Amino acid sequence: MNQASDNRGRVTLRGIRKSFGSFEALKGVDLDIEAVEFFALLGPSGSGKTTTLRVLAGLETPDEGVMTLDDADVTYAQPGERDVAMVFQNYALYPHMTLEANIGFPLKMDGVPKDQIPGLVREAAAKVKIDHLLHRRPGQLSGGQQQRCALARAIVRQPRLFLLDEPLSNLDAQLRLETRVELKKLQRSLDVTTVYVTHDQEEAMTIADRMAVFLDGNIAQVGTPEEVFNTPRNVDVAAFIGSPPMNILKGHLDGTKVSIGDYAFNLPAAVARSPGEVVVGIRPSHIAIAQEGLPASLYLSENLGESMLLNFDVGDQLVKVRLPEVCRFADNETVRLKFDPGHVHLFDPQSGTRID
Ligand SMILES: Nc1ncnc2c1ncn2[C@@H]1O[C@H](COP(=O)(O)OP(=O)(O)OP(=O)(O)O)[C@@H](O)[C@H]1O
Ligand SMILES: [Mg+2]
């Protein structure tokens, strides 16, 4: 049971619903997570990520739906019956115990023979580089060290499923970047299915094999980070992914021709769709300033050090443009914006779904 294997930790969720009072936090979540996958749950605050993770852990019972773990129905199984380990955002370490006792606690609960515990604890602590701190208590550690202790306590049992709820959010920016690299390395070395909750897109994009985008209690899209970034399934995902996300504008489509007001350009290939209104999406880095294009008035420019983020008024809409080099513009200066036709995304104005 404690052996890592390539086929452990397969999860399915089918039609999971969960309400708190009259508020429906999960509105029918379907999900397939494969063995040994690093899977991120990404979405804005309140979208249902933690609730989903708690359903996976058995800390929350769904009102409707089924969860399986390696083909067994575990919908109503207690947390202790699932062989899962969870790292909470606030770490939830026992303050009165040493790190050694904290990390060894799950082994003690599992009835692992006493003489085997110190070796297993040391091994887990070494994996997260805190084996020199085992005699200390949590209060005598930095935030980053406490976070490692919580990780070590979770991995010491080699769980079937490793669940992490925003595990880096209490660390400073520099440490977050370092720790996320180590976490990815650790997950690879452990070969354990990992579900990772974050509202930080960059974190999800860099760390996950695949991710689910949560919006408002539903999963809006599942895919690799590249798939979600390059081909958002609908306007809502498009308007969420990217920092800043895609510009979304009202336009008109006729064959290859897209028009936004008086500005028109041709797509590389015609879209099989009768002429009519469309929603046009384009990322800030796929717009250039040119002689000809969409007239825009500068609202505010932001110097990001290595690049510029320009905010333009276009009619009643705001358009963001990212330029690779720092340059100077005066507020209210009028320029023309040229869209890169190869990077334009189109969506149906009624349903919001992607048009390919
Ligand atoms: N125990 C509870 N009682 C009442 N409402 C709850 C409870 N747990 C969660 N909710 C509500 O359910 C919704 C989803 O919560 P959840 O914690 O899953 O969001 P989240 O995506 O993890 O957000 P965040 O990024 O802020 O952690 C929220 O609106 C939240 O207020
Ligand atoms: Mg949460």
Side-chain angles (χ1 to χ4, degrees):
M1 174 186 152
N2 266 345
Q3 241 6 213
S5 122
D6 280 355
N7 210 18
R8 274 173 105 234
R10 280 169 294 120
V11 178
T12 68
L13 295 181
R14 290 288 174 272
I16 298 289
R17 289 178 175 270
K18 180 72 190 176
S19 294
F20 298 103
S22 61
F23 179 79
E24 198 171 28
L26 299 180
K27 300 176 179 170
V29 166
D30 294 320
L31 198 56
D32 289 273
I33 301 173
E34 284 156 28
V36 191
E37 190 169 37
F38 202 130
F39 197 95
L41 311 183
L42 174 70
S45 188
S47 57
K49 308 178 298 291
T50 295
T51 306
T52 302
L53 201 71
R54 288 173 60 83
V55 167
L56 294 175
L59 297 168
E60 217 65 87
T61 308
D63 303 331
E64 270 180 47
V66 175
M67 171 180 170
T68 69
L69 181 55
D70 295 331
D71 301 324
D73 186 334
V74 294
T75 316
Y76 301 103
Q78 293 299 308
E81 300 167 349
R82 298 185 179 211
D83 194 14
V84 300
M86 184 152 166
V87 174
F88 297 89
Q89 190 174 351
N90 60 6
Y91 315 142
L93 299 172
Y94 303 109
H96 59 287
M97 291 187 196
T98 62
L99 291 209
E100 170 140 42
N102 264 287
I103 298 168
F105 192 75
L107 298 176
K108 200 172 143 192
M109 296 314 279
D110 273 2
V112 173
K114 255 196 177 136
D115 57 325
Q116 291 181 17
I117 293 180
L120 292 169
V121 167
R122 188 155 290 279
E123 201 184 312
K127 281 192 182 135
V128 294
K129 304 189 185 92
I130 51 165
D131 44 327
H132 58 297
L133 302 170
L134 286 173
H135 57 282
R136 293 211 201 157
R137 287 173 211 280
Q140 298 168 311
L141 299 179
S142 71
Q145 290 165 340
Q146 289 183 32
Q147 195 264 353
R148 280 154 200 271
C149 180
L151 283 176
R153 188 176 60 181
I155 64 178
V156 73
R157 279 189 316 118
Q158 297 190 317
R160 192 180 288 267
L161 199 55
F162 190 24
L163 306 174
L164 300 140
D165 193 357
E166 310 236 8
L168 308 183
S169 60
N170 288 340
L171 306 181
D172 67 47
Q174 180 66 33
L175 200 52
R176 275 181 89 124
L177 294 183
E178 289 169 22
T179 313
R180 95 179 173 208
V181 174
E182 283 176 34
L183 201 55
K184 177 83 187 168
K185 290 290 246 185
L186 178 69
Q187 192 264 349
R188 284 200 180 142
S189 74
L190 293 172
D191 269 350
V192 56
T193 310
T194 302
V195 186
Y196 185 97
V197 165
T198 181
H199 65 262
D200 182 328
Q201 306 183 24
E202 191 181 289
E203 215 166 271
M205 300 275 307
T206 52
I207 212 167
D209 300 318
R210 289 195 308 149
M211 60 196 213
V213 179
F214 275 73
L215 294 173
D216 196 20
N218 286 303
I219 293 182
Q221 186 165 4
V222 175
T224 64
E226 293 72 26
E227 283 165 357
V228 174
F229 190 83
N230 294 331
T231 49
R233 246 182 70 192
N234 58 42
V235 172
D236 295 334
V237 176
F240 173 68
I241 295 284
S243 117
M246 233 180 241
N247 295 294
I248 304 287
L249 297 141
K250 290 182 214 127
H252 188 274
L253 174 72
D254 186 352
T256 60
K257 188 176 159 203
V258 174
S259 355
I260 299 166
D262 293 335
Y263 170 53
F265 59 89
N266 283 298
L267 297 170
V271 180
R273 190 180 159 89
S274 45
E277 301 300 305
V278 283
V279 174
V280 179
I282 185 155
R283 295 206 180 279
S285 50
H286 294 141
I287 304 178
I289 292 175
Q291 296 296 325
E292 305 273 301
L294 183 65
S297 153
L298 184 68
Y299 176 68
L300 187 76
S301 67
E302 296 170 87
N303 185 344
L304 305 179
E306 288 178 13
S307 62
M308 288 298 280
L309 190 61
L310 306 172
N311 300 268
F312 289 101
D313 283 322
V314 174
D316 57 353
Q317 311 186 79
L318 190 72
V319 173
K320 289 181 185 278
V321 177
R322 187 191 291 276
L323 298 182
E325 276 153 22
V326 172
C327 48
R328 300 259 163 252
F329 288 96
D331 284 358
N332 301 320
E333 192 172 331
T334 300
V335 300
R336 303 233 165 211
L337 305 179
K338 186 166 182 278
F339 292 13
D340 177 350
H343 285 102
V344 165
H345 304 251
L346 299 176
F347 303 95
D348 183 279
Q350 267 78 47
S351 64
T353 49
R354 182 178 189 83
I355 303 169
D356 278 312

